[in-house]
Amino acid sequence: MQNEFDAIIVGSGVNSLACAVHLGAKGWRVAVYEQAGTAGGAVKTLELTEPGFRHDWAAMNLSMFAGSGFFKEHAEALTAQGLEFVPASHCFASVFDDGKWFGVSTGEGETRARIAAFSEADAMAWDRLCQEFPETAEHVFGLMGSPMQTHVLLKLLAKVLYKKGVSWTAGLMRLLISSPRSFLSETFESDHVRATLAAWGMHLDFAPDLGGGAVFPYLEAMTNQNFGMVIGKGGADTVTRALVAQIETSGGEVHCGKKVTRVIREGARATGVELADGTRVSAAKAVIANVAPQGMMKLLEGGSGNSGFDAKMTKFVHAPGTMMIHLALDGLPDWSASEELKSFAYVHIAPSLDQMARTYQQAMAGLLPDEPVLVVGQPTAIDPSRAPEGKHVLWVQVRMVPGEIRGDAAGKIGETDWAEVKEIYAERALDIIEKHAPGLRAKIISRAVVSPLDLEADNPNLVGGDQVAGSHHLSQNFLFRPAFGHATGKTPVDGLHLTGASVWPGAGTGAGAGYMLARKLGGK
């Protein structure tokens, strides 16, 4: 193992690996150090239940990666390393207590027809959104793919004002700051349509009434309608394996089971890292930390030397936690609402805006929600290679749950230790699925339940099981992610940079933070 590199990256999440690939393409020698035994952070696939059943540990949807600027630039190299996607034309759906369902698919007229069954006025509103989407997407994706600096924002604003005028620009800005409820209630009259789209806000930490959350249901609805969804062939780790292979092809190294305990400084500059076993590794150009802001402070013994920065990192706010349930099954769920639901990548069980708002507030109060929002992923409906022939895996996100349990909103669970609670609470989630898919339990071969604290133990960035590595509320997004003046990953320590989902543009598999930092350091 070499002990001197151009750059050292702490953590092996998708932002780290993308950063290393781009820097490697620019001639940098990069070493990545990961405390877990497997690279990838939240993007990895493991046989958690039975041999031959491959479960995505956390991230399943790879659409953001496939559509990213990073992948556009490095697609040829990564494809040569074995990266392969599987498209899903039936993207997401929701089931409801009245036996009805609604889903978004790419087939011509499919989604509109489903909406029209609820409301022709809503179908016309959908037509309008689809017609306007290309122009809106140009500017929204331009924002999401740009470094979050004041002069960049002003340039983007001037561009949209020049092209579209004041009224249109004001409408776009209103979308960006609106809550899911306000946007969806103004746009649609059907409670079923509203709830189906609002569920995407809960994938982050946007309950229906939180400002800044409208854009996520909007983007998911429109991008899935227009482009579909993709997952990884054989598992989400097709991305991780290809990225690691490309790093090594460029002369870099990726080391797992190697915890970085501190950043080494000479004077005001970061010059390397020290591992838990005492090994020191030098970095000639940069030390890049893909860690949560509090994790950065642990690496900087004695602080950064800038009390203002240190306070901002210490006060960084995390979203509520998530629990995962991984099932090995004899067959897909028999959804009572429709046989068609077996073909969807995701089925949400989030019956109303009010239920989502209540669930969020309960989790924020430290309570186990009485009726959690469930995201039921059916990857083997899209990619049968993830399980033995005729068998399936089910990927269930339980959102939201508290990282620290103070009680149970239903008043039925007295324990507060996740080690004891996770199997008990999994039964509550399975009861909810069983109500919409009778006979599910009879199909279960084996299961693995992952608590919020299990997620954090594997990846310290997921504080309290926060899978989005920090709240995306307006006070901590855009120029303020993770804090004003540091949205590009800049720190007060020369040569030390912050990246990952805690940095703009935030959570997801798009690798935006890592890619933008690599372009800043190594060149475009």
Side-chain angles (χ1 to χ4, degrees), residues 54 130 162 205 355 399 405 424:
R54 306 199 77 236
C130 291
Y162 176 76
D205 59 325
Q355 178 261 347
R399 291 185 178 268
I405 303 170
I424 303 171

Side-chain angles (χ1 to χ4, degrees), residues 344-413:
F344 278 80
Y346 288 119
V347 178
H348 292 106
I349 306 179
S352 72
L353 298 181
D354 290 342
Q355 178 261 347
M356 286 181 251
R358 185 180 74 249
T359 293
Y360 185 85
Q361 287 302 320
Q362 289 171 346
M364 289 294 290
L367 302 177
L368 295 166
D370 55 355
E371 187 182 2
V373 168
L374 301 182
V375 186
V376 183
Q378 303 181 127
T380 43
I382 314 303
D383 174 25
S385 72
R386 295 175 179 224
E389 186 174 357
K391 307 298 181 184
H392 291 273
V393 299
L394 212 64
W395 175 100
V396 182
Q397 277 189 332
V398 183
R399 291 185 178 268
M400 311 285 189
V401 295
E404 181 179 344
I405 303 170
R406 297 175 186 167
D408 177 21
K412 296 179 180 179
I413 300 174

Side-chain angles (χ1 to χ4, degrees), residues 314-500:
T314 302
K315 294 177 181 178
F316 185 80
V317 177
H318 281 271
T322 303
M323 189 178 88
M324 300 294 305
I325 304 173
H326 298 285
L327 302 178
L329 299 176
D330 273 325
L332 288 169
D334 294 310
W335 299 101
S336 54
S338 174
E339 186 74 10
E340 285 185 66
L341 289 163
K342 287 186 175 181
S343 64
F344 278 80
Y346 288 119
V347 178
H348 292 106
I349 306 179
S352 72
L353 298 181
D354 290 342
Q355 178 261 347
M356 286 181 251
R358 185 180 74 249
T359 293
Y360 185 85
Q361 287 302 320
Q362 289 171 346
M364 289 294 290
L367 302 177
L368 295 166
D370 55 355
E371 187 182 2
V373 168
L374 301 182
V375 186
V376 183
Q378 303 181 127
T380 43
I382 314 303
D383 174 25
S385 72
R386 295 175 179 224
E389 186 174 357
K391 307 298 181 184
H392 291 273
V393 299
L394 212 64
W395 175 100
V396 182
Q397 277 189 332
V398 183
R399 291 185 178 268
M400 311 285 189
V401 295
E404 181 179 344
I405 303 170
R406 297 175 186 167
D408 177 21
K412 296 179 180 179
I413 300 174
E415 297 86 345
T416 57
D417 183 345
W418 268 114
E420 300 175 55
V421 169
K422 66 180 183 180
E423 294 292 345
I424 303 171
Y425 198 64
E427 290 301 315
R428 182 174 298 176
L430 292 176
D431 285 342
I432 294 172
I433 302 175
E434 185 91 19
K435 184 171 69 172
H436 294 279
L440 173 72
R441 278 190 173 86
K443 295 175 180 279
I444 297 175
I445 300 168
S446 183
R447 79 184 194 188
V449 182
V450 182
S451 79
L453 300 191
D454 294 332
L455 289 170
E456 182 178 356
D458 177 77
N459 183 349
N461 292 355
L462 310 184
V463 176
D466 165 19
Q467 285 198 0
V468 297
S471 171
H472 288 67
H473 296 175
L474 287 173
S475 60
Q476 197 171 270
N477 206 6
F478 299 102
L479 284 168
F480 304 98
R481 187 165 191 87
F484 185 75
H486 304 285
T488 62
K490 178 183 178 181
T491 79
V493 180
D494 291 343
L496 177 62
H497 309 271
L498 185 63
T499 193

Side-chain angles (χ1 to χ4, degrees), residues 30 75 176 196 264 274 291 372 384 403 445 449 486:
V30 183
L176 293 173
T196 300
I264 299 170
E274 184 174 315
V291 297
I445 300 168
V449 182
H486 304 285

Side-chain angles (χ1 to χ4, degrees), residues 163 187 284:
K163 291 186 68 173
T187 308

Side-chain angles (χ1 to χ4, degrees), residues 19-35:
C19 186
V21 165
H22 189 79
L23 291 176
K26 299 301 178 182
W28 288 40
R29 291 181 298 109
V30 183
V32 179
Y33 291 92
E34 167 62 51
Q35 72 148 20

